[in-house]
């Protein structure tokens, strides 16, 4: 099943999604951005999509309209876009509800959330990206599932409540792991030490964690309940109260769990 | 420069270090463990080392004696081991001081700390393991440097004070990142969701983090100062007060930094 698709927004998601959809055999008809230059930045990545800076899609041949703009812009754009009959409007956000599309002129609405961190210019293997899909209309759900499956085998039908849980888990697994590495970088820099020294350990730990599960993979002073070392480290971090408290709290949680 | 080396302890470090030393051309003369069966478990991994369950090494041909036992056992073992003349005694701990070897019968003491997480049976590329070395004796330092260099090019001379900083940073970069993944696993499980869904995102984030630095790699609601999502997530975590507090504190630290 091949679809005609219009993309609204010209950010990181659009940059990756438009060529992936085309490679999967779909046709990108238009790309909208408030600034036409940004729209052209995306249409240049595909065969023959039309760049647009107005929201009148009443003459569009597209069937599916994908909102790839940032969360705070979804509501306004959904309300303003003029869509043809029988169109499906979806957003690609991990946090926003389905209801946010409720006042649009679309016949059907849904969510097509690629659970990945995208940066323009940095290649992502799209066939390894999980897609979380949602719709209240069974026909739309099936279409979104078919569409997503043409890009990646990892397609999950997820209710809004669960999508929120996924997003919270993603914050811990992605943003917070990244921040722990940030803190490690800063401790090393502060002492004039080369952060490269730590990379093999971090890579080994995290590959082990994803392979055998984080519970089994845990090591270090907290899981050993080595209070002497924990106290020493806590004292070491006395120069930054918030950091010392983060150290204490996570160590406690490791001990408790 | 090839050394004759005795290893004391038969845990994860000994399991990896003994064959790596032999592969690098050194001779493992003896392996000590309180339980001789454990010593044999290591001697079987090398050419012709003698398993021992007594601490009298006065007749040993070894020049360097490597303590690979757990932190809490180092002091007692160092005090009790009977060493030949001109011997070097080192421990392999990231946390213990050099002074802990001060009451031993060794002529020289030092530290040879492999900065990696070892598990018996799980292969580690030893030539990618950083070795942190330390000694108050210049000749010993040079010997340890030469010894470590035969295993890995990543050899760093580090003072005790800095070794503590490295260890604190390692706790954040390794143990705490792992615990963040653990929490993500639990949130998914609690909701009956497949954790596999999150793995591509975690892998992408962390590879980006190590490639371009964690500061640049950060994404998510905290760095965007998206207080609406932060509040929602905080409410979602209300079932576990400690978890909610961890979420709040790390988010605050991301905002502050």
């Amino acid at each position: 099943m091949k679809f005609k698709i219009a993309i609204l927004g010209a950010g990181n998601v659009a940059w990756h999604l438009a060529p992936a959809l085309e490679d999967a055999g779909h046709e990108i008809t238009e790309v909208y951005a408030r600034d036409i230059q940004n729209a052209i930045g995306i249409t240049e990545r595909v065969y023959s999509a039309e760049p647009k800076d107005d929201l009148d899609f009443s003459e569009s041949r597209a069937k599916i309209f994908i909102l790839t703009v940032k969360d705070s812009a979804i509501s306004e754009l959904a309300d303003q876009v003029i869509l043809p009959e029988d169109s499906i409007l979806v957003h690609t956000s991990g946090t926003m509800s389905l209801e946010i599309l409720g006042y649009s002129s679309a016949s059907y609405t849904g969510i097509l959330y690629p659970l990945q961190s995208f940066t323009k210019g940095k290649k992502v293997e799209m066939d390894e990206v999980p897609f979380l899909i949602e719709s209240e209309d069974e026909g739309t759900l099936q279409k979104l599932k078919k569409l997503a499956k043409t890009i990646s085998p990892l397609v999950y039908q997820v209710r809004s409540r669960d999508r929120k849980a996924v997003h919270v888990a993603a914050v811990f697994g992605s943003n917070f792991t990244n921040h722990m590495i940030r803190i490690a970088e800063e401790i090393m820099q502060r002492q004039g030490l080369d952060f490269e020294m730590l990379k093999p350990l971090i890579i080994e730990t995290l590959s082990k964690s994803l392979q055998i599960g984080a519970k089994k993979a845990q090591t270090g002073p907290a899981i050993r309940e080595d209070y002497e070392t924990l106290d020493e480290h806590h004292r070491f971090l006395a120069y930054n109260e918030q950091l010392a408290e983060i150290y204490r709290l996570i160590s406690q949680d490791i001990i408790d769990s």
Side-chain angles (χ1 to χ4, degrees), chain A residues 155-166:
Chain A
V155 178
Y156 300 89
Q157 185 183 330
V158 166
R159 295 164 303 173
S160 274
R161 213 180 62 211
D162 289 344
R163 195 161 39 86
K164 187 173 292 175
V166 171

mmCIF file with all atom_site columns, all heavy atoms in Angstrom, chain A residues 155-166:
data_model
loop_
_atom_site.group_PDB
_atom_site.id
_atom_site.type_symbol
_atom_site.label_atom_id
_atom_site.label_alt_id
_atom_site.label_comp_id
_atom_site.label_asym_id
_atom_site.label_entity_id
_atom_site.label_seq_id
_atom_site.pdbx_PDB_ins_code
_atom_site.Cartn_x
_atom_site.Cartn_y
_atom_site.Cartn_z
_atom_site.occupancy
_atom_site.B_iso_or_equiv
_atom_site.pdbx_formal_charge
_atom_site.auth_seq_id
_atom_site.auth_comp_id
_atom_site.auth_asym_id
_atom_site.auth_atom_id
_atom_site.pdbx_PDB_model_num
ATOM 1   N N   . VAL A 1 155 ? 7.015  -1.796 14.886 1.00 0.00 ? 155 VAL A N   1
ATOM 2   C CA  . VAL A 1 155 ? 5.823  -0.962 14.993 1.00 0.00 ? 155 VAL A CA  1
ATOM 3   C C   . VAL A 1 155 ? 4.988  -1.430 16.177 1.00 0.00 ? 155 VAL A C   1
ATOM 4   O O   . VAL A 1 155 ? 4.678  -2.611 16.301 1.00 0.00 ? 155 VAL A O   1
ATOM 5   C CB  . VAL A 1 155 ? 4.994  -1.028 13.691 1.00 0.00 ? 155 VAL A CB  1
ATOM 6   C CG1 . VAL A 1 155 ? 3.730  -0.191 13.819 1.00 0.00 ? 155 VAL A CG1 1
ATOM 7   C CG2 . VAL A 1 155 ? 5.841  -0.555 12.516 1.00 0.00 ? 155 VAL A CG2 1
ATOM 8   N N   . TYR A 1 156 ? 4.698  -0.512 17.084 1.00 0.00 ? 156 TYR A N   1
ATOM 9   C CA  . TYR A 1 156 ? 3.950  -0.845 18.297 1.00 0.00 ? 156 TYR A CA  1
ATOM 10  C C   . TYR A 1 156 ? 2.686  0.004  18.379 1.00 0.00 ? 156 TYR A C   1
ATOM 11  O O   . TYR A 1 156 ? 2.738  1.222  18.226 1.00 0.00 ? 156 TYR A O   1
ATOM 12  C CB  . TYR A 1 156 ? 4.793  -0.564 19.546 1.00 0.00 ? 156 TYR A CB  1
ATOM 13  C CG  . TYR A 1 156 ? 6.084  -1.331 19.625 1.00 0.00 ? 156 TYR A CG  1
ATOM 14  C CD1 . TYR A 1 156 ? 7.256  -0.831 19.062 1.00 0.00 ? 156 TYR A CD1 1
ATOM 15  C CD2 . TYR A 1 156 ? 6.144  -2.565 20.276 1.00 0.00 ? 156 TYR A CD2 1
ATOM 16  C CE1 . TYR A 1 156 ? 8.448  -1.536 19.141 1.00 0.00 ? 156 TYR A CE1 1
ATOM 17  C CE2 . TYR A 1 156 ? 7.334  -3.273 20.370 1.00 0.00 ? 156 TYR A CE2 1
ATOM 18  C CZ  . TYR A 1 156 ? 8.476  -2.752 19.799 1.00 0.00 ? 156 TYR A CZ  1
ATOM 19  O OH  . TYR A 1 156 ? 9.664  -3.443 19.884 1.00 0.00 ? 156 TYR A OH  1
ATOM 20  N N   . GLN A 1 157 ? 1.569  -0.651 18.609 1.00 0.00 ? 157 GLN A N   1
ATOM 21  C CA  . GLN A 1 157 ? 0.332  0.077  18.848 1.00 0.00 ? 157 GLN A CA  1
ATOM 22  C C   . GLN A 1 157 ? 0.245  0.361  20.345 1.00 0.00 ? 157 GLN A C   1
ATOM 23  O O   . GLN A 1 157 ? 0.258  -0.560 21.151 1.00 0.00 ? 157 GLN A O   1
ATOM 24  C CB  . GLN A 1 157 ? -0.838 -0.784 18.389 1.00 0.00 ? 157 GLN A CB  1
ATOM 25  C CG  . GLN A 1 157 ? -2.173 -0.083 18.473 1.00 0.00 ? 157 GLN A CG  1
ATOM 26  C CD  . GLN A 1 157 ? -3.291 -1.020 18.075 1.00 0.00 ? 157 GLN A CD  1
ATOM 27  O OE1 . GLN A 1 157 ? -3.097 -1.929 17.263 1.00 0.00 ? 157 GLN A OE1 1
ATOM 28  N NE2 . GLN A 1 157 ? -4.463 -0.821 18.647 1.00 0.00 ? 157 GLN A NE2 1
ATOM 29  N N   . VAL A 1 158 ? 0.198  1.631  20.699 1.00 0.00 ? 158 VAL A N   1
ATOM 30  C CA  . VAL A 1 158 ? 0.339  2.011  22.106 1.00 0.00 ? 158 VAL A CA  1
ATOM 31  C C   . VAL A 1 158 ? -0.735 3.036  22.461 1.00 0.00 ? 158 VAL A C   1
ATOM 32  O O   . VAL A 1 158 ? -0.949 3.992  21.729 1.00 0.00 ? 158 VAL A O   1
ATOM 33  C CB  . VAL A 1 158 ? 1.754  2.602  22.337 1.00 0.00 ? 158 VAL A CB  1
ATOM 34  C CG1 . VAL A 1 158 ? 1.844  3.317  23.654 1.00 0.00 ? 158 VAL A CG1 1
ATOM 35  C CG2 . VAL A 1 158 ? 2.812  1.509  22.250 1.00 0.00 ? 158 VAL A CG2 1
ATOM 36  N N   . ARG A 1 159 ? -1.411 2.819  23.590 1.00 0.00 ? 159 ARG A N   1
ATOM 37  C CA  . ARG A 1 159 ? -2.406 3.797  24.047 1.00 0.00 ? 159 ARG A CA  1
ATOM 38  C C   . ARG A 1 159 ? -1.712 5.031  24.614 1.00 0.00 ? 159 ARG A C   1
ATOM 39  O O   . ARG A 1 159 ? -0.578 4.965  25.066 1.00 0.00 ? 159 ARG A O   1
ATOM 40  C CB  . ARG A 1 159 ? -3.274 3.179  25.145 1.00 0.00 ? 159 ARG A CB  1
ATOM 41  C CG  . ARG A 1 159 ? -4.135 2.032  24.695 1.00 0.00 ? 159 ARG A CG  1
ATOM 42  C CD  . ARG A 1 159 ? -4.621 1.275  25.920 1.00 0.00 ? 159 ARG A CD  1
ATOM 43  N NE  . ARG A 1 159 ? -3.482 0.818  26.727 1.00 0.00 ? 159 ARG A NE  1
ATOM 44  C CZ  . ARG A 1 159 ? -3.578 0.249  27.913 1.00 0.00 ? 159 ARG A CZ  1
ATOM 45  N NH1 . ARG A 1 159 ? -4.750 0.078  28.474 1.00 0.00 ? 159 ARG A NH1 1
ATOM 46  N NH2 . ARG A 1 159 ? -2.507 -0.157 28.564 1.00 0.00 ? 159 ARG A NH2 1
ATOM 47  N N   . SER A 1 160 ? -2.437 6.173  24.627 1.00 0.00 ? 160 SER A N   1
ATOM 48  C CA  . SER A 1 160 ? -1.849 7.440  25.098 1.00 0.00 ? 160 SER A CA  1
ATOM 49  C C   . SER A 1 160 ? -1.236 7.289  26.478 1.00 0.00 ? 160 SER A C   1
ATOM 50  O O   . SER A 1 160 ? -0.148 7.787  26.752 1.00 0.00 ? 160 SER A O   1
ATOM 51  C CB  . SER A 1 160 ? -2.901 8.549  25.120 1.00 0.00 ? 160 SER A CB  1
ATOM 52  O OG  . SER A 1 160 ? -2.975 9.154  23.852 1.00 0.00 ? 160 SER A OG  1
ATOM 53  N N   . ARG A 1 161 ? -1.928 6.577  27.381 1.00 0.00 ? 161 ARG A N   1
ATOM 54  C CA  . ARG A 1 161 ? -1.444 6.408  28.748 1.00 0.00 ? 161 ARG A CA  1
ATOM 55  C C   . ARG A 1 161 ? -0.086 5.698  28.733 1.00 0.00 ? 161 ARG A C   1
ATOM 56  O O   . ARG A 1 161 ? 0.828  6.061  29.464 1.00 0.00 ? 161 ARG A O   1
ATOM 57  C CB  . ARG A 1 161 ? -2.446 5.588  29.547 1.00 0.00 ? 161 ARG A CB  1
ATOM 58  C CG  . ARG A 1 161 ? -2.541 5.952  30.997 1.00 0.00 ? 161 ARG A CG  1
ATOM 59  C CD  . ARG A 1 161 ? -3.558 5.076  31.713 1.00 0.00 ? 161 ARG A CD  1
ATOM 60  N NE  . ARG A 1 161 ? -3.203 3.677  31.680 1.00 0.00 ? 161 ARG A NE  1
ATOM 61  C CZ  . ARG A 1 161 ? -4.076 2.671  31.673 1.00 0.00 ? 161 ARG A CZ  1
ATOM 62  N NH1 . ARG A 1 161 ? -5.369 2.908  31.638 1.00 0.00 ? 161 ARG A NH1 1
ATOM 63  N NH2 . ARG A 1 161 ? -3.660 1.424  31.671 1.00 0.00 ? 161 ARG A NH2 1
ATOM 64  N N   . ASP A 1 162 ? 0.022  4.684  27.895 1.00 0.00 ? 162 ASP A N   1
ATOM 65  C CA  . ASP A 1 162 ? 1.274  3.935  27.808 1.00 0.00 ? 162 ASP A CA  1
ATOM 66  C C   . ASP A 1 162 ? 2.369  4.746  27.118 1.00 0.00 ? 162 ASP A C   1
ATOM 67  O O   . ASP A 1 162 ? 3.543  4.628  27.450 1.00 0.00 ? 162 ASP A O   1
ATOM 68  C CB  . ASP A 1 162 ? 1.062  2.617  27.064 1.00 0.00 ? 162 ASP A CB  1
ATOM 69  C CG  . ASP A 1 162 ? 0.244  1.639  27.896 1.00 0.00 ? 162 ASP A CG  1
ATOM 70  O OD1 . ASP A 1 162 ? 0.117  1.863  29.118 1.00 0.00 ? 162 ASP A OD1 1
ATOM 71  O OD2 . ASP A 1 162 ? -0.269 0.664  27.326 1.00 0.00 ? 162 ASP A OD2 1
ATOM 72  N N   . ARG A 1 163 ? 1.957  5.547  26.136 1.00 0.00 ? 163 ARG A N   1
ATOM 73  C CA  . ARG A 1 163 ? 2.940  6.379  25.438 1.00 0.00 ? 163 ARG A CA  1
ATOM 74  C C   . ARG A 1 163 ? 3.600  7.346  26.422 1.00 0.00 ? 163 ARG A C   1
ATOM 75  O O   . ARG A 1 163 ? 4.787  7.633  26.338 1.00 0.00 ? 163 ARG A O   1
ATOM 76  C CB  . ARG A 1 163 ? 2.273  7.134  24.282 1.00 0.00 ? 163 ARG A CB  1
ATOM 77  C CG  . ARG A 1 163 ? 3.249  7.738  23.281 1.00 0.00 ? 163 ARG A CG  1
ATOM 78  C CD  . ARG A 1 163 ? 2.575  8.049  21.940 1.00 0.00 ? 163 ARG A CD  1
ATOM 79  N NE  . ARG A 1 163 ? 1.242  8.576  22.161 1.00 0.00 ? 163 ARG A NE  1
ATOM 80  C CZ  . ARG A 1 163 ? 0.962  9.857  22.379 1.00 0.00 ? 163 ARG A CZ  1
ATOM 81  N NH1 . ARG A 1 163 ? 1.914  10.762 22.353 1.00 0.00 ? 163 ARG A NH1 1
ATOM 82  N NH2 . ARG A 1 163 ? -0.276 10.253 22.595 1.00 0.00 ? 163 ARG A NH2 1
ATOM 83  N N   . LYS A 1 164 ? 2.834  7.801  27.424 1.00 0.00 ? 164 LYS A N   1
ATOM 84  C CA  . LYS A 1 164 ? 3.418  8.660  28.455 1.00 0.00 ? 164 LYS A CA  1
ATOM 85  C C   . LYS A 1 164 ? 4.452  7.876  29.279 1.00 0.00 ? 164 LYS A C   1
ATOM 86  O O   . LYS A 1 164 ? 5.537  8.373  29.574 1.00 0.00 ? 164 LYS A O   1
ATOM 87  C CB  . LYS A 1 164 ? 2.340  9.227  29.379 1.00 0.00 ? 164 LYS A CB  1
ATOM 88  C CG  . LYS A 1 164 ? 2.885  10.258 30.348 1.00 0.00 ? 164 LYS A CG  1
ATOM 89  C CD  . LYS A 1 164 ? 1.796  10.954 31.143 1.00 0.00 ? 164 LYS A CD  1
ATOM 90  C CE  . LYS A 1 164 ? 0.963  11.839 30.227 1.00 0.00 ? 164 LYS A CE  1
ATOM 91  N NZ  . LYS A 1 164 ? -0.175 12.443 30.943 1.00 0.00 ? 164 LYS A NZ  1
ATOM 92  N N   . ALA A 1 165 ? 4.125  6.644  29.627 1.00 0.00 ? 165 ALA A N   1
ATOM 93  C CA  . ALA A 1 165 ? 5.073  5.800  30.374 1.00 0.00 ? 165 ALA A CA  1
ATOM 94  C C   . ALA A 1 165 ? 6.345  5.594  29.551 1.00 0.00 ? 165 ALA A C   1
ATOM 95  O O   . ALA A 1 165 ? 7.462  5.683  30.073 1.00 0.00 ? 165 ALA A O   1
ATOM 96  C CB  . ALA A 1 165 ? 4.434  4.455  30.705 1.00 0.00 ? 165 ALA A CB  1
ATOM 97  N N   . VAL A 1 166 ? 6.170  5.338  28.253 1.00 0.00 ? 166 VAL A N   1
ATOM 98  C CA  . VAL A 1 166 ? 7.327  5.162  27.369 1.00 0.00 ? 166 VAL A CA  1
ATOM 99  C C   . VAL A 1 166 ? 8.184  6.425  27.386 1.00 0.00 ? 166 VAL A C   1
ATOM 100 O O   . VAL A 1 166 ? 9.410  6.355  27.447 1.00 0.00 ? 166 VAL A O   1
ATOM 101 C CB  . VAL A 1 166 ? 6.882  4.843  25.919 1.00 0.00 ? 166 VAL A CB  1
ATOM 102 C CG1 . VAL A 1 166 ? 8.067  4.890  24.967 1.00 0.00 ? 166 VAL A CG1 1
ATOM 103 C CG2 . VAL A 1 166 ? 6.205  3.477  25.851 1.00 0.00 ? 166 VAL A CG2 1
#
